[in-house]
Amino acid sequence: MSTPFTTVAGVTVDTRHWIGGERVASAGTFTDTSPIDGAVIGEIARGTEAEAAAAVAAAKAAFPGWAATPRAERARVLHAIADGVEKRLEELAVVETTDNGALLRSHRRGVMPRVAHNFRFFADWLLRLDHEDFETRGHTNHVSWDPAGPCVLITPWNAPLMLATWKVAPALAAGDTVVLKPAEWSPLTASLLADIAAEAGLPAGVLNVVQGYGSEIGDVLTSHPDVRRISFTGSVPTAQRIAASAAARLTPLSLELGGKSPLLVFADADLDLAVDLAVEQYDNAGQVCLAGTRLLVEETVAAEFTRRFVDKAARLRQGDPRDEATDIGPTIHPRQLEKIDGFVQRALAAGARAVVGGHRRDGQYYAPTLLTDVAQDSEIVQEEVFGPVLTLQTFADEDEAVRLANGTRFGLAATVVTGDPARAERVTARLVAGTVWVNCFFVRDLQAPFGGSRQSGVGREGGTWSFDFYCDLKNTVTAPKGWQDHG
């Protein structure tokens, strides 16, 4: 490598791996570019099988000491990491905006504060993690959460640091050690996290960061005999490859995968609220797994809903995400832009109508798009686009609404907009989804289980569910008698 550092908006970022408490270079690099303008950000260490194996070895070596660290001390270190995130919040925000193109105002006000909260929440939850002892025929049952071992965490590019720390924080709190593999399209804040964790006093080898392409190092990480847990957020095809790799050793998996979530609008809904929630699905240029990209609107109000939607969408400002006035930034990468446009153009060729957008803009920007006249079995309705593209279908009654809503292979989330509490209860009970919002969207609490049904995932994250995954649960049964007198 010509230089092990790059400077982003005045912030110095080390572009090498972080393994065993040290910076480690690779023979090769890959180029990281900004979606804002296509400019080269830096040359990033391109991990090989050797670096991946070294990271697992470092995590294995560090595991006994970290697992034996008292809960209170682990919690203290996690709070210190949160302190470091808050201290460097502005730096993290500007680096991540440059790297993945999401709005700077969102990073400052919501995303990076949530990163710190992830560490604080799981630190505090660790200290209250408990199961009341219970008796069986006079025998005492005691449930405990034992650290499982080294974990491989593979994270996506759409909210790089927040989604990484959803996994890193509970894994560290549980007493596990971590090999973090960030997405190659947005690797920089993972490197900064390594610095912050080291400054907070996290022992060497407890957190390792390996950069590179999943096709080159993924199998080493996911099939390694010393890895005890694998958590992945991303696409279904990649998850299938990871699952196949992990299967030989029966390594437990947590998979948060794609979505094709419905947003149901009933005739008794507050239409202004419904339109606000629908337009909100363009957040992060539609690169949100939870986004309600399938608008299902009761036919008696569909025309009025569409009119209001078009009017509100026309007021969105798309442009440089560093500008406070911008509502929608760019797509992450030229390949993603091609994928989005391919979906839209095939839909238009098949008879869909673009009520809003339907085309590229300069650079890596795709116009917010709403397509109507789409069939339930069409590609644009069935497959995840992961861009600022929504479809609109109508329904006649609750039964049809539920049938359409459940009519894909996914089941990540759903949103219901109605003015009738009884209807909300009926409909939500019938929806296949890991999370359902009623008259709101994206209200997330780390106490709640998060994950998907069907091909949207395996397992749940959040609260005790995270510890259930990152730990080996043990039940110790003690007889009421039989102790020897050692007096």
Side-chain angles (χ1 to χ4, degrees):
M1 295 177 63
S2 57
T3 175
F5 301 98
T6 190
T7 302
V8 182
V11 181
T12 299
V13 183
D14 200 308
T15 55
R16 296 171 292 181
H17 314 288
W18 178 255
I19 300 174
E22 297 179 347
R23 288 293 175 178
V24 176
S26 289
T29 64
F30 64 91
T31 302
D32 184 27
T33 60
S34 175
I36 299 172
D37 53 12
V40 173
I41 302 174
E43 296 296 324
I44 313 300
R46 183 171 178 168
T48 67
E49 293 184 1
E51 286 87 54
V56 175
K60 180 182 179 182
F63 173 68
W66 183 244
T69 301
R71 284 187 177 190
E73 175 60 15
R74 294 205 304 263
R76 186 198 66 78
V77 174
L78 264 64
H79 275 292
I81 295 173
D83 292 341
V85 169
E86 290 171 347
K87 181 180 178 181
R88 301 186 67 178
L89 190 146
E90 179 65 17
E91 295 179 11
L92 293 166
V94 297
V95 168
E96 190 143 296
T97 289
T98 304
D99 205 14
N100 89 323
L103 299 184
L104 180 57
R105 73 180 191 219
S106 295
H107 280 139
R108 283 172 170 158
R109 299 171 193 171
V111 177
M112 295 309 163
R114 185 58 180 261
V115 168
H117 174 67
N118 288 344
F119 285 102
R120 296 200 192 282
F121 173 88
F122 285 106
D124 293 341
W125 200 268
L126 170 65
L127 297 181
R128 59 186 282 194
L129 186 65
D130 191 26
H131 191 293
E132 185 177 350
D133 289 355
F134 56 97
E135 288 194 359
T136 304
R137 298 189 299 277
H139 295 65
T140 301
N141 293 263
H142 175 74
V143 176
S144 59
W145 286 261
D146 293 352
C151 301
V152 166
L153 311 180
I154 304 172
T155 54
W157 45 258
N158 58 320
L161 192 57
M162 185 176 73
L163 294 180
T165 56
W166 270 1
K167 303 178 188 297
V168 171
L172 296 182
D176 295 339
T177 52
V178 167
V179 177
L180 171 62
K181 194 281 182 192
E184 59 268 23
W185 287 351
S186 55
L188 297 183
T189 48
S191 180
L192 292 176
L193 177 64
D195 294 336
I196 291 170
E199 292 166 5
L202 190 69
V206 175
L207 172 64
N208 306 274
V209 179
V210 180
Q211 300 151 157
Y213 294 103
S215 59
E216 296 175 352
I217 62 175
D219 188 62
V220 175
L221 296 174
T222 57
S223 65
H224 200 290
D226 293 328
V227 170
R228 295 291 178 260
R229 296 290 188 274
I230 300 168
S231 182
F232 169 73
T233 297
S235 70
V236 171
T238 301
Q240 290 169 331
R241 291 193 292 272
I242 291 172
S245 179
R249 302 187 186 278
L250 296 179
T251 307
L253 296 169
S254 175
L255 304 173
E256 196 269 279
L257 308 177
K260 196 66 179 177
S261 301
L263 192 158
L264 294 79
V265 179
F266 288 91
D268 57 16
D270 178 337
L271 279 192
D272 286 333
L273 171 64
V275 168
D276 287 346
L277 293 175
V279 173
E280 190 178 345
Q281 308 309 308
Y282 289 132
D283 183 49
N284 200 20
Q287 299 167 135
V288 178
C289 58
L290 292 164
T293 56
R294 294 185 296 130
L295 308 182
L296 306 177
V297 184
E298 193 162 353
E299 56 192 20
T300 57
V301 295
E304 179 61 17
F305 172 89
T306 303
R307 184 189 68 77
R308 297 189 196 188
F309 181 96
V310 170
D311 181 63
K312 188 172 183 65
R315 297 196 296 271
L316 293 173
R317 293 188 59 175
Q318 187 168 28
D320 192 322
R322 296 165 295 192
D323 186 337
E324 282 280 322
T326 297
D327 298 306
I328 302 178
T331 55
I332 182 75
H333 193 274
R335 289 217 311 264
Q336 185 65 16
L337 183 71
E338 289 289 339
K339 177 185 174 184
I340 294 166
D341 193 48
F343 272 113
V344 172
Q345 298 311 316
R346 289 191 297 273
L348 293 174
R353 182 168 64 94
V355 178
V356 176
H359 56 84
R360 304 184 191 199
R361 288 177 169 161
D362 291 340
Q364 286 175 215
Y365 296 80
Y366 203 87
T369 296
L370 175 64
L371 301 177
T372 61
D373 300 335
V374 292
Q376 177 68 12
D377 61 354
S378 64
E379 178 192 54
I380 197 67
V381 169
Q382 293 294 321
E383 299 299 326
E384 185 178 44
V385 177
F386 221 62
V389 179
L390 311 179
T391 60
L392 190 150
Q393 299 167 269
T394 63
F395 61 84
D397 54 29
E398 285 184 20
D399 286 342
E400 186 178 16
V402 171
R403 179 179 62 78
L404 294 174
N406 290 339
T408 75
R409 61 193 172 106
F410 298 106
L412 188 55
T415 301
V416 176
V417 193
T418 177
D420 183 348
R423 166 173 281 153
E425 186 174 351
R426 288 194 305 271
V427 171
T428 58
R430 298 172 65 190
L431 293 176
V432 178
T435 300
V436 181
W437 288 286
V438 178
N439 295 333
C440 60
F441 176 68
F442 213 46
V443 178
R444 281 287 329 277
D445 192 311
L446 284 176
Q447 296 182 74
F450 176 76
S453 304
R454 295 177 175 169
Q455 290 197 19
S456 285
V458 175
R460 294 294 184 268
E461 297 176 296
T464 302
W465 292 276
S466 288
F467 287 96
D468 287 348
F469 174 71
Y470 288 110
C471 293
D472 288 326
L473 269 73
K474 178 191 294 178
N475 185 44
T476 301
V477 185
T478 304
K481 296 180 181 180
W483 298 112
Q484 299 298 315
D485 184 0
H486 296 284

